[in-house]
Amino acid sequence: MGKYVLGVDLGTSAVKVSALDHSGQIVAQESFDYDLIQQQPGYNEQNPEDWVSGTTVAIVRLILNDHLAAEDIEGLSYSGQMHGLVLLDANKKVLRPAILWNDTRSTPQREEIEAKLGDEFVDITRNQPLEGFTLTKLLWVKENEPDIWAQAKYFVLPKDYVRYRMTGNLAMDYSDATGTVLLDVAKGQWSEKICDAFDIPLSMCPPLIKSVDFAGTVTAAYAEFSGLTPATKVFGGAADNAAGAVGAGILQPNMVLSSIGTSGVVLKYEDNADVNYHGVLQFEDHAIPDKFYSMGVTLAAGYSLSWFKKTFAPIEDFTEFVASAAKSTVGANGLLYTPYIVGERAPYADADIRGSFTGIDGTHQRYDFVRAVLEGISFSFRDLFDIYEENGADFDTVVSIGGGAKSPLWLQIQADIFNRKVVSLTNEQGPGMGAAMIAATGLGWFDSLQDCAKTFVHFGKAYEPNPENVKKYAKMHAIYKQVYQQTKGISAQLLAYRKAEL
Ligand SMILES: Nc1ncnc2c1ncn2[C@@H]1O[C@H](COP(=O)(O)OP(=O)(O)O)[C@@H](O)[C@H]1O
Ligand SMILES: O=C(CO)[C@@H](O)[C@H](O)COP(=O)(O)O
């Protein structure tokens, strides 16, 4: 029997656990969905216990339903949704539901940090103190839930909590730690300056490890619970975007990732920390030791599509629903969608902006709306490509993963809007694949993640830009770019209305 590694992809909508063999083939895969808790607009929470149960159910199914022998599972690692705050007490018990990356309640805390540290904050962390990141969430709890804060002794991120429950060891890997905006990126240490400025005990920050570091073996209790053996080795893992980049082979500067999960990401490998996007794009430690990546995040990418489908076509098959956009035209017969339905992160760091359909005409059909959503998400990515171009970045290939890679039509739309060659992977499990590659490298199956990629990562069909469509989309994008400024004031008024009515 061969030996396997497990890649645990702890996403926002589900956990997917993939088992891979030495040749990088996915031999089995199981997933488990969980819900978002949305008590009011802008609030997004999840119960950490749901992540642990979901991961465990998926592993149990791999062993019982897919007949993987537990003793053949040599190691596992993680890809985790980023930034989510999990607060633990002195006994490492969860104190409140996790506040997730897409929760935007912490605007006052963002303003407080900006007022106190200004540009120095960006110099230390290489990021802005946005609502989505962990620090503003910590300060929100400190200011709004003093009883909880008084009991809080540690904080971790989603996949770190699952790793803790499997191994009994508390840690955070560098690629996720940059996303807390509490890390001094140049020094590779928790920032005393930031902790002191906001009265956060340094002891709350967990020990830092590298993505490929050994983090312990599975505890006897977790082995019993899951069916794994206590010899299973667990490795640090990475932020989902770092893991996605590894799984998509984004391991050199001429390649860019276009990832459409719940959120959407345009991500570029950075060889060193010299480039400075002044916080307009995020700058993070990579899963590859001492390497970095930059990225811009569209908060509601796949979420825009899922929201539209759930609301207007709840019982239709997802693939057919997306494919219906082929009945529309390039530019969706003049219909434009902006995907700001939960606020936006980049290029506009604005928690209050909301989405729009512009140009609705009496002749428009539902398929025009579907097409407009696919195009709007891609236009938002184009905005991010423009920032890279303004900074002189040179790249020729875009690797598409996630929802955007599931549809040939959407892959072509991306190629035409980005005006670049877009390739998919033969296996489009970017983050889960990256997590498994981290385990395989940690176990010593390969010397490095780059070495592992040679065996594990295979590119599929390439989509070349169609010059006619490129021209049409350039016109539509020029119109799209105006919508943010034109709707900013209207969004603010509607938000005030919603708040008054609540
Ligand atoms: N058949 C499909 N074609 C295109 N997009 C899809 C399809 N199925 C799902 N999606 C999109 O992909 C997104 C899910 O991506 P995924 O990477 O699984 O999310 P996450 O990791 O955030 O949980 C959904 O939000 C949905 O909009
Ligand atoms: O906030 C970010 C990145 O900064 C998100 O990318 C989250 O990491 C969630 O990812 P998905 O669940 O959408 O994959």
Side-chain angles (χ1 to χ4, degrees), residues 10-13 80-83 101 132-133 240-241 259 261-265 282 284 295 297 299 345:
L10 193 73
T12 312
S13 51
Q81 50 162 301
M82 296 171 68
H83 316 297
W101 60 275
F133 304 157
D240 57 2
N241 291 299
S259 162
T262 303
S263 67
V265 168
Q282 292 168 232
E284 319 275 354
M295 67 174 172
V297 172
L299 282 183
R345 181 125 26 107

mmCIF file with all atom_site columns, all heavy atoms in Angstrom, residues 10-13 80-83 101 132-133 240-241 259 261-265 282 284 295 297 299 345, ligand 2:
data_model
loop_
_atom_site.group_PDB
_atom_site.id
_atom_site.type_symbol
_atom_site.label_atom_id
_atom_site.label_alt_id
_atom_site.label_comp_id
_atom_site.label_asym_id
_atom_site.label_entity_id
_atom_site.label_seq_id
_atom_site.pdbx_PDB_ins_code
_atom_site.Cartn_x
_atom_site.Cartn_y
_atom_site.Cartn_z
_atom_site.occupancy
_atom_site.B_iso_or_equiv
_atom_site.pdbx_formal_charge
_atom_site.auth_seq_id
_atom_site.auth_comp_id
_atom_site.auth_asym_id
_atom_site.auth_atom_id
_atom_site.pdbx_PDB_model_num
ATOM   1   N N   . LEU A 1 10  ? -9.416  24.453 5.166  1.00 0.00 ? 10  LEU A N   1
ATOM   2   C CA  . LEU A 1 10  ? -10.449 24.981 6.053  1.00 0.00 ? 10  LEU A CA  1
ATOM   3   C C   . LEU A 1 10  ? -10.979 26.285 5.457  1.00 0.00 ? 10  LEU A C   1
ATOM   4   O O   . LEU A 1 10  ? -10.424 27.364 5.701  1.00 0.00 ? 10  LEU A O   1
ATOM   5   C CB  . LEU A 1 10  ? -9.840  25.210 7.444  1.00 0.00 ? 10  LEU A CB  1
ATOM   6   C CG  . LEU A 1 10  ? -10.815 25.471 8.576  1.00 0.00 ? 10  LEU A CG  1
ATOM   7   C CD1 . LEU A 1 10  ? -11.559 24.208 8.967  1.00 0.00 ? 10  LEU A CD1 1
ATOM   8   C CD2 . LEU A 1 10  ? -10.090 26.035 9.789  1.00 0.00 ? 10  LEU A CD2 1
ATOM   9   N N   . GLY A 1 11  ? -12.031 26.181 4.639  1.00 0.00 ? 11  GLY A N   1
ATOM   10  C CA  . GLY A 1 11  ? -12.571 27.353 3.941  1.00 0.00 ? 11  GLY A CA  1
ATOM   11  C C   . GLY A 1 11  ? -13.649 28.042 4.765  1.00 0.00 ? 11  GLY A C   1
ATOM   12  O O   . GLY A 1 11  ? -13.885 27.697 5.932  1.00 0.00 ? 11  GLY A O   1
ATOM   13  N N   . THR A 1 12  ? -14.318 28.998 4.123  1.00 0.00 ? 12  THR A N   1
ATOM   14  C CA  . THR A 1 12  ? -15.367 29.745 4.812  1.00 0.00 ? 12  THR A CA  1
ATOM   15  C C   . THR A 1 12  ? -16.695 29.014 4.721  1.00 0.00 ? 12  THR A C   1
ATOM   16  O O   . THR A 1 12  ? -17.510 29.078 5.639  1.00 0.00 ? 12  THR A O   1
ATOM   17  C CB  . THR A 1 12  ? -15.518 31.135 4.162  1.00 0.00 ? 12  THR A CB  1
ATOM   18  O OG1 . THR A 1 12  ? -14.222 31.704 4.023  1.00 0.00 ? 12  THR A OG1 1
ATOM   19  C CG2 . THR A 1 12  ? -16.378 32.053 4.994  1.00 0.00 ? 12  THR A CG2 1
ATOM   20  N N   . SER A 1 13  ? -16.909 28.310 3.605  1.00 0.00 ? 13  SER A N   1
ATOM   21  C CA  . SER A 1 13  ? -18.190 27.623 3.443  1.00 0.00 ? 13  SER A CA  1
ATOM   22  C C   . SER A 1 13  ? -18.095 26.146 3.827  1.00 0.00 ? 13  SER A C   1
ATOM   23  O O   . SER A 1 13  ? -19.103 25.530 4.135  1.00 0.00 ? 13  SER A O   1
ATOM   24  C CB  . SER A 1 13  ? -18.668 27.748 1.997  1.00 0.00 ? 13  SER A CB  1
ATOM   25  O OG  . SER A 1 13  ? -17.650 27.353 1.113  1.00 0.00 ? 13  SER A OG  1
ATOM   26  N N   . GLY A 1 80  ? -5.781  27.556 5.702  1.00 0.00 ? 80  GLY A N   1
ATOM   27  C CA  . GLY A 1 80  ? -6.859  28.076 6.548  1.00 0.00 ? 80  GLY A CA  1
ATOM   28  C C   . GLY A 1 80  ? -7.380  29.426 6.087  1.00 0.00 ? 80  GLY A C   1
ATOM   29  O O   . GLY A 1 80  ? -6.605  30.288 5.655  1.00 0.00 ? 80  GLY A O   1
ATOM   30  N N   . GLN A 1 81  ? -8.708  29.616 6.168  1.00 0.00 ? 81  GLN A N   1
ATOM   31  C CA  . GLN A 1 81  ? -9.269  30.951 5.970  1.00 0.00 ? 81  GLN A CA  1
ATOM   32  C C   . GLN A 1 81  ? -8.509  31.874 6.921  1.00 0.00 ? 81  GLN A C   1
ATOM   33  O O   . GLN A 1 81  ? -8.235  31.518 8.074  1.00 0.00 ? 81  GLN A O   1
ATOM   34  C CB  . GLN A 1 81  ? -10.777 30.962 6.249  1.00 0.00 ? 81  GLN A CB  1
ATOM   35  C CG  . GLN A 1 81  ? -11.215 30.329 7.561  1.00 0.00 ? 81  GLN A CG  1
ATOM   36  C CD  . GLN A 1 81  ? -12.614 30.757 7.976  1.00 0.00 ? 81  GLN A CD  1
ATOM   37  O OE1 . GLN A 1 81  ? -12.866 31.947 8.154  1.00 0.00 ? 81  GLN A OE1 1
ATOM   38  N NE2 . GLN A 1 81  ? -13.520 29.808 8.147  1.00 0.00 ? 81  GLN A NE2 1
ATOM   39  N N   . MET A 1 82  ? -8.165  33.063 6.432  1.00 0.00 ? 82  MET A N   1
ATOM   40  C CA  . MET A 1 82  ? -7.239  33.922 7.182  1.00 0.00 ? 82  MET A CA  1
ATOM   41  C C   . MET A 1 82  ? -7.956  34.844 8.171  1.00 0.00 ? 82  MET A C   1
ATOM   42  O O   . MET A 1 82  ? -9.164  35.014 8.106  1.00 0.00 ? 82  MET A O   1
ATOM   43  C CB  . MET A 1 82  ? -6.446  34.793 6.198  1.00 0.00 ? 82  MET A CB  1
ATOM   44  C CG  . MET A 1 82  ? -5.555  34.000 5.279  1.00 0.00 ? 82  MET A CG  1
ATOM   45  S SD  . MET A 1 82  ? -4.826  34.993 3.952  1.00 0.00 ? 82  MET A SD  1
ATOM   46  C CE  . MET A 1 82  ? -3.698  36.058 4.851  1.00 0.00 ? 82  MET A CE  1
ATOM   47  N N   . HIS A 1 83  ? -7.187  35.434 9.043  1.00 0.00 ? 83  HIS A N   1
ATOM   48  C CA  . HIS A 1 83  ? -7.546  36.596 9.886  1.00 0.00 ? 83  HIS A CA  1
ATOM   49  C C   . HIS A 1 83  ? -8.578  36.346 10.995 1.00 0.00 ? 83  HIS A C   1
ATOM   50  O O   . HIS A 1 83  ? -8.743  37.203 11.863 1.00 0.00 ? 83  HIS A O   1
ATOM   51  C CB  . HIS A 1 83  ? -8.093  37.768 9.046  1.00 0.00 ? 83  HIS A CB  1
ATOM   52  C CG  . HIS A 1 83  ? -7.338  38.071 7.796  1.00 0.00 ? 83  HIS A CG  1
ATOM   53  N ND1 . HIS A 1 83  ? -6.026  38.480 7.793  1.00 0.00 ? 83  HIS A ND1 1
ATOM   54  C CD2 . HIS A 1 83  ? -7.716  38.022 6.485  1.00 0.00 ? 83  HIS A CD2 1
ATOM   55  C CE1 . HIS A 1 83  ? -5.634  38.685 6.535  1.00 0.00 ? 83  HIS A CE1 1
ATOM   56  N NE2 . HIS A 1 83  ? -6.633  38.399 5.731  1.00 0.00 ? 83  HIS A NE2 1
ATOM   57  N N   . TRP A 1 101 ? -12.820 36.866 8.811  1.00 0.00 ? 101 TRP A N   1
ATOM   58  C CA  . TRP A 1 101 ? -12.157 37.798 7.887  1.00 0.00 ? 101 TRP A CA  1
ATOM   59  C C   . TRP A 1 101 ? -13.140 38.736 7.194  1.00 0.00 ? 101 TRP A C   1
ATOM   60  O O   . TRP A 1 101 ? -12.790 39.855 6.863  1.00 0.00 ? 101 TRP A O   1
ATOM   61  C CB  . TRP A 1 101 ? -11.371 37.006 6.829  1.00 0.00 ? 101 TRP A CB  1
ATOM   62  C CG  . TRP A 1 101 ? -12.245 36.089 6.003  1.00 0.00 ? 101 TRP A CG  1
ATOM   63  C CD1 . TRP A 1 101 ? -12.624 34.827 6.337  1.00 0.00 ? 101 TRP A CD1 1
ATOM   64  C CD2 . TRP A 1 101 ? -12.872 36.375 4.750  1.00 0.00 ? 101 TRP A CD2 1
ATOM   65  N NE1 . TRP A 1 101 ? -13.443 34.300 5.375  1.00 0.00 ? 101 TRP A NE1 1
ATOM   66  C CE2 . TRP A 1 101 ? -13.612 35.225 4.378  1.00 0.00 ? 101 TRP A CE2 1
ATOM   67  C CE3 . TRP A 1 101 ? -12.876 37.478 3.895  1.00 0.00 ? 101 TRP A CE3 1
ATOM   68  C CZ2 . TRP A 1 101 ? -14.358 35.155 3.200  1.00 0.00 ? 101 TRP A CZ2 1
ATOM   69  C CZ3 . TRP A 1 101 ? -13.618 37.411 2.719  1.00 0.00 ? 101 TRP A CZ3 1
ATOM   70  C CH2 . TRP A 1 101 ? -14.337 36.257 2.387  1.00 0.00 ? 101 TRP A CH2 1
ATOM   71  N N   . GLY A 1 132 ? -11.001 43.716 8.262  1.00 0.00 ? 132 GLY A N   1
ATOM   72  C CA  . GLY A 1 132 ? -10.907 42.270 8.038  1.00 0.00 ? 132 GLY A CA  1
ATOM   73  C C   . GLY A 1 132 ? -9.802  41.596 8.833  1.00 0.00 ? 132 GLY A C   1
ATOM   74  O O   . GLY A 1 132 ? -9.834  40.378 9.027  1.00 0.00 ? 132 GLY A O   1
ATOM   75  N N   . PHE A 1 133 ? -8.816  42.353 9.277  1.00 0.00 ? 133 PHE A N   1
ATOM   76  C CA  . PHE A 1 133 ? -7.638  41.740 9.892  1.00 0.00 ? 133 PHE A CA  1
ATOM   77  C C   . PHE A 1 133 ? -7.841  41.549 11.405 1.00 0.00 ? 133 PHE A C   1
ATOM   78  O O   . PHE A 1 133 ? -8.696  42.180 12.020 1.00 0.00 ? 133 PHE A O   1
ATOM   79  C CB  . PHE A 1 133 ? -6.394  42.582 9.599  1.00 0.00 ? 133 PHE A CB  1
ATOM   80  C CG  . PHE A 1 133 ? -6.155  42.809 8.119  1.00 0.00 ? 133 PHE A CG  1
ATOM   81  C CD1 . PHE A 1 133 ? -5.407  43.887 7.666  1.00 0.00 ? 133 PHE A CD1 1
ATOM   82  C CD2 . PHE A 1 133 ? -6.695  41.950 7.168  1.00 0.00 ? 133 PHE A CD2 1
ATOM   83  C CE1 . PHE A 1 133 ? -5.194  44.096 6.309  1.00 0.00 ? 133 PHE A CE1 1
ATOM   84  C CE2 . PHE A 1 133 ? -6.484  42.150 5.806  1.00 0.00 ? 133 PHE A CE2 1
ATOM   85  C CZ  . PHE A 1 133 ? -5.736  43.234 5.382  1.00 0.00 ? 133 PHE A CZ  1
ATOM   86  N N   . ASP A 1 240 ? -4.763  30.443 3.643  1.00 0.00 ? 240 ASP A N   1
ATOM   87  C CA  . ASP A 1 240 ? -5.308  29.798 2.431  1.00 0.00 ? 240 ASP A CA  1
ATOM   88  C C   . ASP A 1 240 ? -4.721  30.366 1.138  1.00 0.00 ? 240 ASP A C   1
ATOM   89  O O   . ASP A 1 240 ? -4.533  29.637 0.163  1.00 0.00 ? 240 ASP A O   1
ATOM   90  C CB  . ASP A 1 240 ? -6.842  29.815 2.401  1.00 0.00 ? 240 ASP A CB  1
ATOM   91  C CG  . ASP A 1 240 ? -7.471  31.191 2.507  1.00 0.00 ? 240 ASP A CG  1
ATOM   92  O OD1 . ASP A 1 240 ? -6.742  32.197 2.567  1.00 0.00 ? 240 ASP A OD1 1
ATOM   93  O OD2 . ASP A 1 240 ? -8.713  31.253 2.542  1.00 0.00 ? 240 ASP A OD2 1
ATOM   94  N N   . ASN A 1 241 ? -4.416  31.663 1.146  1.00 0.00 ? 241 ASN A N   1
ATOM   95  C CA  . ASN A 1 241 ? -3.889  32.228 -0.095 1.00 0.00 ? 241 ASN A CA  1
ATOM   96  C C   . ASN A 1 241 ? -2.447  31.811 -0.339 1.00 0.00 ? 241 ASN A C   1
ATOM   97  O O   . ASN A 1 241 ? -2.046  31.601 -1.490 1.00 0.00 ? 241 ASN A O   1
ATOM   98  C CB  . ASN A 1 241 ? -4.062  33.743 -0.086 1.00 0.00 ? 241 ASN A CB  1
ATOM   99  C CG  . ASN A 1 241 ? -5.538  34.084 -0.186 1.00 0.00 ? 241 ASN A CG  1
ATOM   100 O OD1 . ASN A 1 241 ? -6.193  33.743 -1.160 1.00 0.00 ? 241 ASN A OD1 1
ATOM   101 N ND2 . ASN A 1 241 ? -6.090  34.676 0.865  1.00 0.00 ? 241 ASN A ND2 1
ATOM   102 N N   . SER A 1 259 ? -7.673  33.802 -7.746 1.00 0.00 ? 259 SER A N   1
ATOM   103 C CA  . SER A 1 259 ? -8.368  32.789 -6.946 1.00 0.00 ? 259 SER A CA  1
ATOM   104 C C   . SER A 1 259 ? -9.778  33.263 -6.616 1.00 0.00 ? 259 SER A C   1
ATOM   105 O O   . SER A 1 259 ? -9.951  34.347 -6.052 1.00 0.00 ? 259 SER A O   1
ATOM   106 C CB  . SER A 1 259 ? -7.566  32.551 -5.658 1.00 0.00 ? 259 SER A CB  1
ATOM   107 O OG  . SER A 1 259 ? -8.366  31.923 -4.687 1.00 0.00 ? 259 SER A OG  1
ATOM   108 N N   . GLY A 1 261 ? -12.624 32.169 -4.446 1.00 0.00 ? 261 GLY A N   1
ATOM   109 C CA  . GLY A 1 261 ? -13.304 31.392 -3.409 1.00 0.00 ? 261 GLY A CA  1
ATOM   110 C C   . GLY A 1 261 ? -14.505 32.210 -2.988 1.00 0.00 ? 261 GLY A C   1
ATOM   111 O O   . GLY A 1 261 ? -15.118 32.880 -3.834 1.00 0.00 ? 261 GLY A O   1
ATOM   112 N N   . THR A 1 262 ? -14.863 32.198 -1.708 1.00 0.00 ? 262 THR A N   1
ATOM   113 C CA  . THR A 1 262 ? -15.893 33.108 -1.227 1.00 0.00 ? 262 THR A CA  1
ATOM   114 C C   . THR A 1 262 ? -15.413 34.527 -1.523 1.00 0.00 ? 262 THR A C   1
ATOM   115 O O   . THR A 1 262 ? -16.098 35.333 -2.122 1.00 0.00 ? 262 THR A O   1
ATOM   116 C CB  . THR A 1 262 ? -16.103 32.902 0.287  1.00 0.00 ? 262 THR A CB  1
ATOM   117 O OG1 . THR A 1 262 ? -16.426 31.533 0.498  1.00 0.00 ? 262 THR A OG1 1
ATOM   118 C CG2 . THR A 1 262 ? -17.208 33.794 0.815  1.00 0.00 ? 262 THR A CG2 1
ATOM   119 N N   . SER A 1 263 ? -14.164 34.808 -1.091 1.00 0.00 ? 263 SER A N   1
ATOM   120 C CA  . SER A 1 263 ? -13.522 36.058 -1.490 1.00 0.00 ? 263 SER A CA  1
ATOM   121 C C   . SER A 1 263 ? -12.740 35.782 -2.774 1.00 0.00 ? 263 SER A C   1
ATOM   122 O O   . SER A 1 263 ? -12.649 34.643 -3.225 1.00 0.00 ? 263 SER A O   1
ATOM   123 C CB  . SER A 1 263 ? -12.564 36.528 -0.399 1.00 0.00 ? 263 SER A CB  1
ATOM   124 O OG  . SER A 1 263 ? -11.475 35.626 -0.295 1.00 0.00 ? 263 SER A OG  1
ATOM   125 N N   . GLY A 1 264 ? -12.190 36.837 -3.339 1.00 0.00 ? 264 GLY A N   1
ATOM   126 C CA  . GLY A 1 264 ? -11.371 36.656 -4.538 1.00 0.00 ? 264 GLY A CA  1
ATOM   127 C C   . GLY A 1 264 ? -10.027 37.304 -4.319 1.00 0.00 ? 264 GLY A C   1
ATOM   128 O O   . GLY A 1 264 ? -9.924  38.312 -3.604 1.00 0.00 ? 264 GLY A O   1
ATOM   129 N N   . VAL A 1 265 ? -9.012  36.727 -4.927 1.00 0.00 ? 265 VAL A N   1
ATOM   130 C CA  . VAL A 1 265 ? -7.660  37.199 -4.661 1.00 0.00 ? 265 VAL A CA  1
ATOM   131 C C   . VAL A 1 265 ? -6.857  37.239 -5.950 1.00 0.00 ? 265 VAL A C   1
ATOM   132 O O   . VAL A 1 265 ? -6.866  36.282 -6.719 1.00 0.00 ? 265 VAL A O   1
ATOM   133 C CB  . VAL A 1 265 ? -6.977  36.244 -3.655 1.00 0.00 ? 265 VAL A CB  1
ATOM   134 C CG1 . VAL A 1 265 ? -5.492  36.523 -3.562 1.00 0.00 ? 265 VAL A CG1 1
ATOM   135 C CG2 . VAL A 1 265 ? -7.619  36.375 -2.284 1.00 0.00 ? 265 VAL A CG2 1
ATOM   136 N N   . GLN A 1 282 ? -2.214  43.869 0.095  1.00 0.00 ? 282 GLN A N   1
ATOM   137 C CA  . GLN A 1 282 ? -1.679  43.205 1.293  1.00 0.00 ? 282 GLN A CA  1
ATOM   138 C C   . GLN A 1 282 ? -0.291  42.639 0.974  1.00 0.00 ? 282 GLN A C   1
ATOM   139 O O   . GLN A 1 282 ? -0.015  42.268 -0.168 1.00 0.00 ? 282 GLN A O   1
ATOM   140 C CB  . GLN A 1 282 ? -2.610  42.068 1.722  1.00 0.00 ? 282 GLN A CB  1
ATOM   141 C CG  . GLN A 1 282 ? -3.941  42.590 2.245  1.00 0.00 ? 282 GLN A CG  1
ATOM   142 C CD  . GLN A 1 282 ? -4.991  41.510 2.398  1.00 0.00 ? 282 GLN A CD  1
ATOM   143 O OE1 . GLN A 1 282 ? -6.094  41.651 1.891  1.00 0.00 ? 282 GLN A OE1 1
ATOM   144 N NE2 . GLN A 1 282 ? -4.680  40.443 3.107  1.00 0.00 ? 282 GLN A NE2 1
ATOM   145 N N   . GLU A 1 284 ? 2.325   39.722 2.519  1.00 0.00 ? 284 GLU A N   1
ATOM   146 C CA  . GLU A 1 284 ? 2.300   38.633 3.502  1.00 0.00 ? 284 GLU A CA  1
ATOM   147 C C   . GLU A 1 284 ? 3.528   37.730 3.362  1.00 0.00 ? 284 GLU A C   1
ATOM   148 O O   . GLU A 1 284 ? 4.092   37.607 2.271  1.00 0.00 ? 284 GLU A O   1
ATOM   149 C CB  . GLU A 1 284 ? 1.051   37.747 3.303  1.00 0.00 ? 284 GLU A CB  1
ATOM   150 C CG  . GLU A 1 284 ? -0.241  38.474 3.000  1.00 0.00 ? 284 GLU A CG  1
ATOM   151 C CD  . GLU A 1 284 ? -0.991  38.964 4.228  1.00 0.00 ? 284 GLU A CD  1
ATOM   152 O OE1 . GLU A 1 284 ? -0.574  38.653 5.361  1.00 0.00 ? 284 GLU A OE1 1
ATOM   153 O OE2 . GLU A 1 284 ? -1.992  39.682 4.051  1.00 0.00 ? 284 GLU A OE2 1
ATOM   154 N N   . MET A 1 295 ? -1.012  40.710 -2.387 1.00 0.00 ? 295 MET A N   1
ATOM   155 C CA  . MET A 1 295 ? -2.314  40.368 -2.986 1.00 0.00 ? 295 MET A CA  1
ATOM   156 C C   . MET A 1 295 ? -3.334  41.475 -2.741 1.00 0.00 ? 295 MET A C   1
ATOM   157 O O   . MET A 1 295 ? -3.235  42.246 -1.789 1.00 0.00 ? 295 MET A O   1
ATOM   158 C CB  . MET A 1 295 ? -2.853  39.055 -2.416 1.00 0.00 ? 295 MET A CB  1
ATOM   159 C CG  . MET A 1 295 ? -3.229  39.096 -0.965 1.00 0.00 ? 295 MET A CG  1
ATOM   160 S SD  . MET A 1 295 ? -4.005  37.532 -0.488 1.00 0.00 ? 295 MET A SD  1
ATOM   161 C CE  . MET A 1 295 ? -4.106  37.764 1.285  1.00 0.00 ? 295 MET A CE  1
ATOM   162 N N   . VAL A 1 297 ? -7.552  41.848 -2.409 1.00 0.00 ? 297 VAL A N   1
ATOM   163 C CA  . VAL A 1 297 ? -8.705  40.972 -2.120 1.00 0.00 ? 297 VAL A CA  1
ATOM   164 C C   . VAL A 1 297 ? -10.018 41.654 -2.489 1.00 0.00 ? 297 VAL A C   1
ATOM   165 O O   . VAL A 1 297 ? -10.281 42.787 -2.082 1.00 0.00 ? 297 VAL A O   1
ATOM   166 C CB  . VAL A 1 297 ? -8.713  40.571 -0.622 1.00 0.00 ? 297 VAL A CB  1
ATOM   167 C CG1 . VAL A 1 297 ? -9.994  39.824 -0.266 1.00 0.00 ? 297 VAL A CG1 1
ATOM   168 C CG2 . VAL A 1 297 ? -7.501  39.714 -0.290 1.00 0.00 ? 297 VAL A CG2 1
ATOM   169 N N   . LEU A 1 299 ? -13.704 41.283 -1.653 1.00 0.00 ? 299 LEU A N   1
ATOM   170 C CA  . LEU A 1 299 ? -14.345 40.562 -0.534 1.00 0.00 ? 299 LEU A CA  1
ATOM   171 C C   . LEU A 1 299 ? -15.428 39.588 -1.001 1.00 0.00 ? 299 LEU A C   1
ATOM   172 O O   . LEU A 1 299 ? -15.535 38.485 -0.484 1.00 0.00 ? 299 LEU A O   1
ATOM   173 C CB  . LEU A 1 299 ? -14.947 41.555 0.460  1.00 0.00 ? 299 LEU A CB  1
ATOM   174 C CG  . LEU A 1 299 ? -13.958 42.223 1.422  1.00 0.00 ? 299 LEU A CG  1
ATOM   175 C CD1 . LEU A 1 299 ? -14.716 43.124 2.393  1.00 0.00 ? 299 LEU A CD1 1
ATOM   176 C CD2 . LEU A 1 299 ? -13.128 41.217 2.201  1.00 0.00 ? 299 LEU A CD2 1
ATOM   177 N N   . ARG A 1 345 ? -12.298 45.507 0.024  1.00 0.00 ? 345 ARG A N   1
ATOM   178 C CA  . ARG A 1 345 ? -10.964 45.601 0.646  1.00 0.00 ? 345 ARG A CA  1
ATOM   179 C C   . ARG A 1 345 ? -9.967  46.275 -0.294 1.00 0.00 ? 345 ARG A C   1
ATOM   180 O O   . ARG A 1 345 ? -9.233  47.157 0.091  1.00 0.00 ? 345 ARG A O   1
ATOM   181 C CB  . ARG A 1 345 ? -10.510 44.183 1.025  1.00 0.00 ? 345 ARG A CB  1
ATOM   182 C CG  . ARG A 1 345 ? -9.194  44.133 1.683  1.00 0.00 ? 345 ARG A CG  1
ATOM   183 C CD  . ARG A 1 345 ? -9.021  43.476 3.021  1.00 0.00 ? 345 ARG A CD  1
ATOM   184 N NE  . ARG A 1 345 ? -9.773  42.470 3.588  1.00 0.00 ? 345 ARG A NE  1
ATOM   185 C CZ  . ARG A 1 345 ? -9.399  41.187 3.746  1.00 0.00 ? 345 ARG A CZ  1
ATOM   186 N NH1 . ARG A 1 345 ? -8.256  40.769 3.255  1.00 0.00 ? 345 ARG A NH1 1
ATOM   187 N NH2 . ARG A 1 345 ? -10.140 40.339 4.410  1.00 0.00 ? 345 ARG A NH2 1
HETATM 188 O O1  . LIG B 2 .   ? -9.410  37.595 3.941  1.00 0.00 ? 2   LIG B O1  1
HETATM 189 C C1  . LIG B 2 .   ? -8.880  36.893 3.095  1.00 0.00 ? 2   LIG B C1  1
HETATM 190 C C2  . LIG B 2 .   ? -7.495  37.159 2.637  1.00 0.00 ? 2   LIG B C2  1
HETATM 191 O O2  . LIG B 2 .   ? -6.917  38.294 3.203  1.00 0.00 ? 2   LIG B O2  1
HETATM 192 C C3  . LIG B 2 .   ? -9.649  35.749 2.515  1.00 0.00 ? 2   LIG B C3  1
HETATM 193 O O3  . LIG B 2 .   ? -9.048  35.247 1.357  1.00 0.00 ? 2   LIG B O3  1
HETATM 194 C C4  . LIG B 2 .   ? -9.837  34.659 3.528  1.00 0.00 ? 2   LIG B C4  1
HETATM 195 O O4  . LIG B 2 .   ? -8.591  34.047 3.742  1.00 0.00 ? 2   LIG B O4  1
HETATM 196 C C5  . LIG B 2 .   ? -10.947 33.678 3.154  1.00 0.00 ? 2   LIG B C5  1
HETATM 197 O O5  . LIG B 2 .   ? -10.755 32.946 2.025  1.00 0.00 ? 2   LIG B O5  1
HETATM 198 P P1  . LIG B 2 .   ? -11.851 32.058 1.235  1.00 0.00 ? 2   LIG B P1  1
HETATM 199 O O6  . LIG B 2 .   ? -12.685 31.315 2.229  1.00 0.00 ? 2   LIG B O6  1
HETATM 200 O O7  . LIG B 2 .   ? -12.606 32.995 0.375  1.00 0.00 ? 2   LIG B O7  1
HETATM 201 O O8  . LIG B 2 .   ? -11.006 31.135 0.393  1.00 0.00 ? 2   LIG B O8  1
#
